[in-house]
Amino acid sequence: MKFKQLVAAGLMLSVAGMAKSAQESEFVVSDIKIEGLQRVALGAALTYLPVKVGDEMNSFRIAQAIRSLYASTHFESIEVLRDGDILVVKVKERPTISNIILEGNDDIKDEQLQESLDGSNIRLGEPLDKTVLTSIENGLKDFYYSIGKYNADVSAIITPLPRNRVDLKLLFEEGDAAKIEQINIVGNSIFDDATLFEQMELKFDAPWWDFLSETRYQKQTLTGDMETVTSYYKDRGYLKFDIESTQVSMTPEKAGIYVTLNIDEGEQYKVSEVELVGELLGHEDYLKLVLPITPGELYNQAEVTYTEEFISKYFGRFGYAYPSVTTIPDINEEDKTVKLTLSVDPGKRIYVRRINFEGNIGTADEVLRQSVTQMEGAWLSNATLESSKNALSRLTYMESVDFDTVRLPGEDDKVDVNFSVKEQASGSFNAGIGYGDRTKLSLQAGIQQDNFLGTGKRIALNLSTTSYQKSAQVSYTDPYFTIDGISLGGTIGYSEFDGESAGFIQYNSKQYSVGANVGYPIDEFNRINFGLTYSNVELFQSTSYEQTTRFYNQFVDESNPDDSIKYDSFLASVAWIRSTLNRGVFPTAGSSQRASFSITTPNSDVNYFKTEVDTKFYFPLSRNQRWSFLARLKLGYGNGYGTANGVDQILPFNQNFGAGGNDSLRGFENNTVGPRGVQLTPSPIFDIDGNVIYGSPVNDTVTISSRSLGGNAMILGGVELIVPTPFVEADFDNSVRTSLFVDVGNVWDTEFRYDRYKDLTLNQQFNNDPLEDYSDYKLYRASGGLSVQWLSPMGPMVFSFSKAIESREGDDTKFFSFNIGQTF
């Protein structure tokens, strides 16, 4: 207060002195001169001066002129003089900031400091107001004190430069944070110190191995711990619990802190009655049924808060977006009970005037509106807004989505809803590189755009060439072909496949296909897709195996048995898709399920069916969802139906399931897990003339291929612990993901007859692998490791470091794999 009086007195004396220098006589200004200008233009300076030629000057007008010039923030000192009838203003401009140097700040990032300086108009090219520096220094010191660094110091050093410029240097001496030497709790008898210390984040005397304990004093953490202890008591019936006082003292050298909490535990209370009052809009009976507070139980502050939030959200579903729910306790000290009266005022029903979008640079507004279920002109529903946010977040070209409601001035029943979105790359360059013990180097490439020209339509042109496949495919999907959300899509494709190079047995195929699909939404989470695909397949088997011959022989031309076979098929499919994931890419919460069934029509050359189920569950482990747990399971089964030439049809071997690689079992080479090809060689016997005849089948020999041919049944599963990526800030969690995983699974052949071959001689001339029962689903594989995924500008990149935990003789394992593409 005295300081303010001194400043006021000084200003009055300054003004009085300047007025005296102007000879304290009134005069009419005939001209105005401003001296000392360097950077500020004369015209600009005159605009700051509330005086013009012809005005009559007096002491009041002089003081007004000085205040106006100072308010422009350009001048460090101002002097007003009179030369006859000429008004002379002498100024000294504030120096311009040429450079800002931050040194020694480890606890505060440069970006945070610069943001704070910008708020005080301390930035490059601006005039330096030295009076602001003191408040900035003190504010920064207060911050360091709040985190226990009582020896910290912040100094602003100004270095003059030519042409009235300065360098501003903020020098930080942060020091070490004071360590908590002891925490004392006084007044507790119901819960002992150890129990209460377990609830607190601040610790003292932590063992050396508990490196995660917070032993440094921080004011904000202590405040949070006090709220936690208060909640601990009040959630157990101690309604009147109170922390009466808090003492924080430090050692003379400011290196240690002693904290003392004086508490009053009070008595334990039970709830005697719960009453709902106010305007309940006819929902009283329902609310009474679902209220979580039960009379006769201990008072629980958490349940009271949850009940208030539940009622608020419940009325929010019906357009009452700003209800007031207040709990009024009526305490009976005689029997230690409390009657809770929930007073409800729903307020006015709120309607949405307009829905706005911001941040969507490449995506058109109408595309985003297709996913928003909250309608303009309808009442505001918090449930509908949340579902709209989730639907937008599940779009693969959205990185983050948020919304807020803005009440309109003068309108107490209308709001605007503003959705703020952040887009991410919707196109991907789909490429991969891998190395295996047998397949060696493999490459692939492709292009896909999930948000073509901002329309939300998916267009893909995949021209892929790898060591085992060459393919070209054009696909198109319009997810909102109709306003009701019916989708329409189609594909045209061609592929050449080399089974041996892909890790399968030796066969080659060519396929032409064309298909169409249509999808129907059931609700915001579920939809059903129907599809029909025509395929023309040419298949060549360079080496015959017992499992493939049965299918292959159906189409072989007996006059030219070495020629390839050809067949046509019409594959009809139906799929149920459900997703409650919180994001389309890198989800951390929710689940997704997909169940599909496909079958060739009876007029096809081959008759078979396949069914698959794929499910994933994400469980957040932390409030910010940087830690999350993923559990996944994938099942598949296929087989033939009907007969051909009196023989039961089976699943074409080129439709078998495969396992191994980044999409299934990491740690194993692509498609190498599962049944191997079995070749049966009859044992020859020579007659007396030297002619070859074949003896008993028990003398036949069996050769096992080094390659897998897949199977008609599959089970794959795994768990993953999603963790924060080291050295990557939380802002990039939507772009980079790190996880620790365990993969388990197997592929088997339900049609394999192990008893036919188990007692035969095994020919190990070309392969030392044993003959196993390929119909046994228990011959599982397992692997574990580390995976890092990065949503790069070229598309998703996946780096996997894997170790086989459970493998079989002859399995092709690999430690490292790297892929670019849509693999998750």
Side-chain angles (χ1 to χ4, degrees):
M1 187 68 180
K2 292 182 179 180
F3 177 73
K4 292 182 178 179
Q5 292 174 347
L6 291 172
V7 172
L11 179 60
M12 292 176 62
L13 289 173
S14 174
V15 171
M18 295 175 188
K20 184 177 180 180
S21 67
Q23 300 178 359
E24 296 184 344
S25 59
E26 298 181 357
F27 67 99
V28 177
V29 177
S30 62
D31 194 10
I32 299 174
K33 293 183 178 180
I34 301 180
E35 300 177 354
L37 295 175
Q38 295 182 0
R39 182 177 53 86
V40 181
L42 176 61
L46 290 173
T47 61
Y48 304 139
L49 189 66
V51 178
K52 61 180 181 296
V53 174
D55 287 349
E56 184 175 330
M57 292 299 296
N58 52 37
S59 58
F60 174 77
R61 296 294 298 275
I62 292 174
Q64 187 182 38
I66 293 173
R67 284 195 297 270
S68 179
L69 288 170
Y70 272 122
S72 70
T73 70
H74 290 289
F75 305 110
E76 191 172 85
S77 64
I78 302 168
E79 186 178 7
V80 179
L81 303 172
R82 174 184 175 183
D83 184 6
D85 291 336
I86 301 174
L87 182 65
V88 180
V89 181
K90 293 186 177 181
V91 298
K92 181 181 179 182
E93 293 183 356
R94 286 176 176 170
T96 303
I97 301 175
S98 177
N99 193 19
I100 299 177
I101 303 170
L102 306 173
E103 185 176 306
N105 55 304
D106 293 328
D107 285 336
I108 309 179
K109 298 179 182 179
D110 288 356
E111 296 79 7
Q112 293 175 307
L113 280 172
Q114 191 57 59
E115 183 178 344
S116 176
L117 294 174
D118 288 344
S120 301
N121 206 34
I122 303 295
R123 58 172 66 92
L124 298 180
E126 295 292 333
L128 175 64
D129 185 356
K130 297 178 182 178
T131 61
V132 177
L133 291 179
T134 302
S135 64
I136 291 176
E137 291 175 339
N138 293 334
L140 292 171
K141 289 178 184 177
D142 290 341
F143 165 78
Y144 282 111
Y145 296 164
S146 71
I147 61 174
K149 294 193 172 184
Y150 293 99
N151 290 315
D153 188 34
V154 182
S155 303
I157 303 173
I158 301 173
T159 304
L161 299 175
R163 302 190 304 277
N164 198 28
R165 297 176 300 121
V166 295
D167 276 350
L168 173 61
K169 181 177 183 180
L170 290 178
L171 182 61
F172 296 81
E173 296 180 8
E174 294 181 333
D176 296 325
K179 184 179 179 181
I180 300 177
E181 298 292 341
Q182 190 171 352
I183 300 176
N184 299 309
I185 300 178
V186 180
N188 58 308
S189 60
I190 299 168
F191 299 108
D192 58 24
D193 288 355
T195 300
L196 298 180
F197 288 153
E198 288 179 1
Q199 316 308 316
M200 302 176 66
E201 186 176 347
L202 291 178
K203 305 291 183 182
F204 71 98
D205 273 347
W208 64 268
W209 47 264
D210 191 3
F211 55 87
L212 294 178
S213 296
E214 183 57 82
T215 58
R216 301 186 310 168
Y217 173 74
Q218 295 192 40
K219 183 179 180 180
Q220 296 90 338
T221 307
L222 177 59
T223 302
D225 284 343
M226 293 167 61
E227 294 177 355
T228 302
V229 172
T230 300
S231 298
Y232 186 80
Y233 272 92
K234 290 190 174 183
D235 291 349
R236 287 157 179 78
Y238 297 91
L239 175 60
K240 290 188 173 182
F241 173 84
D242 182 41
I243 298 180
E244 297 178 329
S245 63
T246 306
Q247 292 88 39
V248 179
S249 58
M250 66 181 70
T251 58
E253 67 278 7
K254 300 181 180 181
I257 295 290
Y258 292 87
V259 179
T260 301
L261 302 179
N262 296 283
I263 67 174
D264 179 11
E265 293 178 317
E267 300 288 341
Q268 201 172 37
Y269 293 83
K270 290 186 177 181
V271 177
S272 62
E273 184 182 353
V274 181
E275 184 180 6
L276 285 168
V277 299
E279 186 60 48
L280 300 175
L281 305 176
H283 299 284
E284 182 176 3
D285 294 339
Y286 174 77
L287 290 173
K288 285 182 178 180
L289 288 173
V290 298
L291 285 180
I293 305 176
T294 304
E297 294 185 351
L298 290 174
Y299 174 84
N300 188 317
Q301 181 65 48
E303 282 191 354
V304 171
T305 302
Y306 172 77
T307 301
E308 292 175 346
E309 294 175 351
F310 170 78
I311 295 175
S312 295
K313 290 181 178 179
Y314 179 77
F315 280 101
R317 294 171 57 188
F318 303 100
Y320 300 93
Y322 305 103
S324 173
V325 183
T326 305
T327 303
I328 304 170
D330 183 8
I331 300 175
N332 188 330
E333 294 292 355
E334 293 183 1
D335 58 4
K336 301 303 178 185
T337 61
V338 56
K339 174 185 176 182
L340 300 178
T341 301
L342 297 169
S343 177
V344 180
D345 179 11
K348 284 192 173 183
R349 176 170 278 177
I350 307 299
Y351 293 85
V352 176
R353 184 191 70 166
R354 184 177 295 118
I355 297 177
N356 304 308
F357 297 92
E358 61 179 21
N360 51 315
I361 300 173
T363 308
D365 277 10
E366 54 266 26
V367 174
L368 301 181
R369 291 183 188 277
Q370 293 169 346
S371 298
V372 175
T373 53
Q374 172 70 60
M375 296 289 102
E376 294 178 341
W379 71 55
L380 180 68
S381 170
N382 52 17
T384 306
L385 284 178
E386 286 295 336
S387 65
S388 299
K389 174 185 174 181
N390 292 335
L392 288 169
S393 299
R394 285 192 289 269
L395 297 175
T396 57
Y397 42 89
M398 287 295 148
E399 180 176 335
S400 63
V401 179
D402 208 345
F403 70 86
D404 63 347
T405 56
V406 180
R407 306 192 75 164
L408 302 180
E411 301 279 356
D412 59 355
D413 63 345
K414 290 184 177 65
V415 297
D416 281 351
V417 178
N418 298 326
F419 281 93
S420 177
V421 303
K422 183 179 180 182
E423 297 172 315
Q424 63 187 9
S426 59
S428 63
F429 169 69
N430 182 4
I433 180 172
Y435 186 87
D437 297 336
R438 296 176 179 173
T439 59
K440 305 306 179 184
L441 187 66
S442 62
L443 301 169
Q444 62 184 41
I447 297 175
Q448 178 172 303
Q449 173 58 255
D450 289 343
N451 186 19
F452 183 67
L453 299 179
T455 62
K457 299 174 182 177
R458 184 181 302 112
I459 294 179
L461 173 60
N462 290 319
L463 303 174
S464 175
T465 176
T466 69
S467 61
Y468 57 86
Q469 186 174 31
K470 296 179 181 179
S471 65
Q473 185 182 68
V474 179
S475 63
Y476 168 86
T477 302
D478 184 352
Y480 282 90
F481 180 69
T482 70
I483 195 172
D484 297 324
I486 295 177
S487 64
L488 180 66
T491 60
I492 300 175
Y494 168 79
S495 68
E496 296 180 6
F497 185 78
D498 182 351
E500 181 180 13
S501 298
F504 287 109
I505 58 172
Q506 296 177 350
Y507 76 91
N508 297 84
S509 68
K510 292 182 180 180
Q511 178 172 325
Y512 301 87
S513 64
V514 58
N517 61 81
V518 60
Y520 295 88
I522 301 174
D523 54 35
E524 62 177 308
F525 302 121
N526 297 271
R527 70 184 297 116
I528 294 179
N529 287 352
F530 299 92
L532 181 64
T533 302
Y534 164 75
S535 298
N536 173 269
V537 179
E538 181 180 359
L539 196 62
F540 176 72
Q541 181 181 233
S542 58
T543 303
S544 61
Y545 299 94
E546 289 291 299
Q547 302 100 313
T548 63
T549 301
R550 178 178 167 188
F551 171 79
Y552 201 81
N553 287 345
Q554 297 180 66
F555 304 96
V556 168
D557 182 359
E558 294 183 359
S559 63
N560 190 6
D562 295 330
D563 198 8
S564 61
I565 64 173
K566 297 180 180 180
Y567 60 86
D568 296 325
S569 66
F570 294 88
L571 186 68
S573 63
V574 59
W576 166 67
I577 303 167
R578 180 181 182 272
S579 176
T580 62
L581 298 176
N582 61 337
R583 282 198 296 268
V585 179
F586 291 161
T588 55
S591 66
S592 68
Q593 291 79 36
R594 178 184 176 89
S596 64
F597 177 78
S598 57
I599 186 170
T600 58
T601 59
N603 62 322
S604 301
D605 293 336
V606 292
N607 296 132
Y608 67 88
F609 67 89
K610 292 180 73 173
T611 182
E612 293 184 60
V613 176
D614 190 356
T615 182
K616 297 178 181 178
F617 291 90
Y618 290 86
F619 303 95
L621 301 179
S622 60
R623 184 168 299 178
N624 60 9
Q625 298 187 3
R626 298 197 72 193
W627 293 76
S628 187
F629 180 79
L630 165 62
R632 48 189 168 75
L633 178 66
K634 188 174 183 180
L635 307 172
Y637 176 75
N639 216 326
Y641 74 91
T643 61
N645 300 322
V647 179
D648 290 340
Q649 295 220 35
I650 62 173
L651 185 71
F653 61 85
N654 64 325
Q655 293 293 328
N656 279 349
F657 298 105
N662 276 331
D663 293 334
S664 53
L665 278 171
R666 287 162 285 194
F668 294 86
E669 187 57 68
N670 293 339
N671 301 316
T672 59
V673 171
R676 307 295 178 86
V678 176
Q679 291 177 292
L680 189 64
T681 305
S683 176
I685 298 178
F686 298 92
D687 60 15
I688 58 175
D689 297 324
N691 298 316
V692 176
I693 60 174
Y694 292 96
S696 172
V698 297
N699 296 320
D700 294 346
T701 60
V702 174
T703 302
I704 308 301
S705 73
S706 61
R707 301 289 183 177
S708 170
L709 54 77
N712 70 327
M714 168 191 67
I715 180 169
L716 298 170
V719 293
E720 291 192 42
L721 177 63
I722 300 169
V723 301
T725 304
F727 313 112
V728 175
E729 299 179 4
D731 295 342
F732 296 96
D733 281 349
N734 291 345
S735 300
V736 181
R737 165 165 290 184
T738 300
S739 62
L740 304 173
F741 66 86
V742 174
D743 291 343
V744 182
N746 189 28
V747 173
W748 68 98
D749 182 1
T750 62
E751 299 295 317
F752 185 73
R753 300 295 177 257
Y754 181 62
D755 292 340
R756 169 71 178 85
Y757 312 102
K758 65 178 182 178
D759 296 325
L760 301 182
T761 302
L762 187 63
N763 183 356
Q764 295 186 327
Q765 179 179 359
F766 305 104
N767 182 25
N768 292 324
D769 298 344
L771 172 65
E772 295 183 324
D773 185 358
Y774 298 133
S775 65
D776 187 357
Y777 65 90
K778 298 187 295 295
L779 299 178
Y780 71 93
R781 276 77 163 175
S783 64
L786 170 71
S787 175
V788 179
Q789 304 175 46
W790 173 36
L791 194 64
S792 73
M794 294 187 299
M797 291 187 177
V798 183
F799 304 84
S800 295
F801 301 87
S802 314
K803 172 66 175 178
I805 302 173
E806 180 73 21
S807 61
R808 302 293 166 184
E809 188 73 26
D811 281 347
D812 193 359
T813 61
K814 63 178 179 179
F815 173 71
F816 171 73
S817 65
F818 162 60
N819 282 82
I820 304 177
Q822 211 75 359
T823 58
F824 45 80

